[in-house]
Amino acid sequence: MLSRPLTSSPCLRKAKTTSRSMARAYATVKKDPNYVKIVEVGPRDGLQNEKSVIPPEVKIDLINRLNKAGMTTIEAGSFVSPKWVPQMAATDKVITGMTRIPGSHYPVLVPNHKGLSNLLTLLSSHPSSPSSPPPPTDEIAVFTAATDAFSLANTNCTVSESLARLAPVVEQALKAGLRVRGYVSVVIHCPYTGRVKYEDVKSVTKSLLEMGCYEVSLGDTVGMGTPGSVKEMVETVVGADGRIPVEVVAGHFHDTFGAAVANVHTALSLGIRTIDSAVGGLGGCPYSPGATGNVATEDVIYSLKDSRYHTEGDLDKMVDIGYWISERLGRQNASRAGKAMLAQRNRKRVEKEREREGGNAESVSAKL
């Protein structure tokens, strides 16, 4: 249970009155109701828990490849203490070294005021102008959880305390002209306390929106969600009271039990139109034992084929990227669609080689 009402903090009340209109400016509904926006989280959420340190050049290459594959929102890194997340230590080098496409967004995770201060210092040294490239980023993400137990394990504070800490961070980011997106972890099941109370998920989501987040991503961090539990959770969060429009809610599903794609489609059927995913199914959570990676971007794109929904991203190129980054990390590609499409390619290549060899043999026989 949460320790006290989430909106009781003076910081939250202040953020509610100063930031709501700014956040709502970003929370606009796309004209096409069947368009599904994908937030590619591979370069941050997908890589942050890898044991071996990945050079910044590899991360830059990954983001540039995702750019070329048509992804327009790519989570690029995190301004967090390298003591806690060594993998994100070079985010400043990554976001200044990568190619920035006008109109695309490259959010970075900012857990606290120090992280935001470091980011703002970096941005001040890269002023934007009509003749210069886009800034390293124009968006941050902040995160909390739906249970005190998970929040304490992750950030050493309760949910209410985390929200109180985040409120001034969000306010300052908005004043600096940055977009702010929120994350809520363990919205279905908590590894420490079991099944989560969906009213708590709604309360936390509401608090993040009120402090100024233009969108809140609901994370099935453990990956234990099913279409039934996802439906119940989403319906509770965007209930009939109309306080939380479905347009400002996103889905973030891990594939521990192989239900992530089904959960994505359940979320879409309920009106959600933004889905977080990671190329190659990258990811995991150190505070959630046994949890596997995010739903693979390739699997999401493939599952939308021949449906009423459509999205961005070149599937063939995403398959190539998933194979490439998995090889670089020395791990198995977790994308089912990616592995199947690669197998088809290999089979076609072998068939062509056999045809070519057979043709040459016939040609030689004819000449003889």
Side-chain angles (χ1 to χ4, degrees):
M1 293 183 65
L2 304 181
S3 58
R4 61 181 182 271
L6 298 175
T7 55
S8 63
S9 165
C11 293
L12 295 183
R13 290 198 297 270
K14 181 179 179 182
K16 176 179 177 180
T17 57
T18 59
S19 304
R20 182 184 297 174
S21 60
M22 296 180 70
R24 291 295 181 268
Y26 297 119
T28 55
V29 182
K30 286 187 173 292
K31 293 181 180 179
D32 185 347
N34 293 325
Y35 174 80
V36 177
K37 173 187 171 183
I38 291 180
V39 177
E40 171 57 56
V41 301
R44 198 280 299 178
D45 191 31
L47 296 182
Q48 69 176 5
N49 297 313
E50 289 293 321
K51 293 181 180 179
S52 59
V53 176
I54 303 163
E57 294 75 21
V58 174
K59 298 176 186 177
I60 291 171
D61 195 0
L62 173 60
I63 293 170
N64 290 344
R65 289 172 186 246
L66 292 168
N67 277 328
K68 293 177 181 178
M71 307 309 294
T72 60
T73 304
I74 305 169
E75 196 177 41
S78 175
F79 278 76
V80 64
S81 170
K83 175 183 177 182
W84 300 111
V85 188
Q87 200 62 261
M88 294 290 110
T91 291
D92 56 341
K93 295 180 181 179
V94 172
I95 64 175
T96 54
M98 67 190 187
T99 300
R100 280 105 66 187
I101 306 298
S104 293
H105 300 288
Y106 305 93
V108 292
L109 194 71
V110 174
N112 50 39
H113 185 269
K114 183 176 181 180
L116 178 62
S117 178
N118 290 339
L119 172 62
L120 293 178
T121 299
L122 176 67
L123 293 178
S124 68
S125 63
H126 291 78
S128 59
S129 69
S131 59
S132 65
T137 186
D138 64 351
E139 180 173 335
I140 69 166
V142 296
F143 68 94
T144 185
T147 69
D148 282 338
F150 191 86
S151 183
L152 285 165
N154 198 8
T155 59
N156 199 33
C157 65
T158 66
V159 175
S160 292
E161 289 169 343
S162 75
L163 290 169
R165 293 179 185 180
L166 290 176
V169 175
V170 173
E171 184 175 15
Q172 184 180 359
L174 291 172
K175 287 181 178 179
L178 297 172
R179 296 154 47 102
V180 183
R181 189 174 192 249
Y183 280 108
V184 183
S185 298
V186 294
V187 299
I188 301 289
H189 187 95
C190 174
Y192 306 108
T193 59
R195 179 154 180 163
V196 173
K197 294 182 178 180
Y198 301 148
E199 285 294 338
D200 288 347
V201 179
K202 179 173 184 173
S203 184
V204 176
T205 301
K206 184 172 179 289
S207 294
L208 287 171
L209 292 170
E210 287 180 343
M211 72 172 65
C213 295
Y214 75 89
E215 180 177 79
V216 175
S217 178
L218 306 178
D220 178 20
T221 312
V222 182
M224 290 183 67
T226 62
S229 60
V230 168
K231 181 175 186 293
E232 184 180 353
M233 183 272 293
V234 173
E235 288 179 339
T236 300
V237 172
V238 297
D241 57 18
R243 294 181 181 179
I244 300 179
V246 71
E247 292 83 7
V248 298
V249 174
H252 184 117
F253 303 102
H254 284 236
D255 204 27
T256 309
F257 287 83
V261 169
N263 292 337
V264 165
H265 282 262
T266 297
L268 296 178
S269 72
L270 297 170
I272 287 177
R273 289 295 180 271
T274 301
I275 299 296
D276 299 353
S277 62
V279 65
L282 298 175
C285 180
Y287 304 101
S288 179
T292 57
N294 298 277
V295 63
T297 306
E298 305 95 303
D299 294 355
V300 173
I301 296 175
Y302 181 84
S303 74
L304 296 179
K305 291 177 62 177
D306 305 318
S307 73
R308 66 188 179 98
Y309 304 114
H310 60 96
T311 189
E312 59 198 11
D314 183 308
L315 180 56
D316 285 323
K317 290 182 179 179
M318 292 301 292
V319 168
D320 291 337
I321 297 170
Y323 177 76
W324 168 78
I325 190 62
S326 297
E327 270 203 330
R328 290 303 302 261
L329 299 177
R331 57 177 286 171
Q332 290 291 321
N333 185 345
S335 168
R336 292 171 172 80
K339 289 186 287 189
M341 291 179 67
L342 284 171
Q344 288 181 339
R345 290 181 191 175
N346 290 334
R347 185 173 66 249
K348 290 179 180 179
R349 176 179 56 80
V350 170
E351 290 175 351
K352 286 183 179 180
E353 289 178 354
R354 287 176 177 172
E355 289 177 0
R356 186 164 56 251
E357 291 173 358
N360 290 340
E362 292 175 2
S363 177
V364 171
S365 298
K367 289 180 180 179
L368 291 174

